[in-house]
Amino acid sequence: MIYDYPRSAAGILVVKDDTVLMLERAHAPRVGYLDIPGGFMEANETIEGAARRELREETGLTLGRVETLGFYWDTYFIRGFGRFPVMNFYFAGSWRRGTPTAADDAANAAWVPLARLPRLRSKFAWAHMTPLLRDLTRWARRD
């Protein structure tokens, strides 16, 4: 079954030098796959507020200024809910301080070289991560 109403999700990609913070999923769906700090928005949250909350909950990190990176459609399947469209909003920001500690939905947090991302596609939790991480690489190298 596919639901015709979309859910909204938000996340923040954190860049440190030539690496990006990636998470390993701790819970279904897609346990063990690579993901980005983020998740579903709660009622009355702003998109950026949801992204910052998820980053803090999953890694313990907070960021200063972030930039809008983009919007990416995807379809998720979650057992018990079925298949449904998701509007994924992402921000990007530069790491300043702190050590990410995996928590909440994350089993592990690691800095992954941007150049290695194309070889990790089969381990991405969601289909939209391929164009998202391609856009992030462009964003990180724009200077």
Side-chain angles (χ1 to χ4, degrees), residues 3-73:
Y3 293 96
D4 58 358
Y5 57 90
R7 295 281 318 259
S8 298
I12 297 181
L13 293 121
V14 182
V15 174
K16 177 181 176 186
D17 300 321
D18 64 346
T19 66
V20 62
L21 181 61
M22 299 291 290
L23 306 179
E24 178 186 333
R25 292 187 58 80
H27 305 292
R30 313 291 285 168
V31 174
Y33 282 78
L34 294 176
D35 207 350
I36 292 146
F40 292 120
M41 293 175 60
E42 296 177 358
N44 299 317
E45 264 187 320
T46 65
I47 297 170
E48 185 176 332
R52 288 179 180 279
R53 174 185 52 77
E54 289 285 349
L55 178 67
R56 189 176 54 256
E57 288 175 359
E58 294 177 347
T59 70
L61 295 179
T62 59
L63 287 183
R65 185 173 138 322
V66 295
E67 296 178 33
T68 301
L69 185 61
F71 164 78
Y72 304 81
W73 277 105

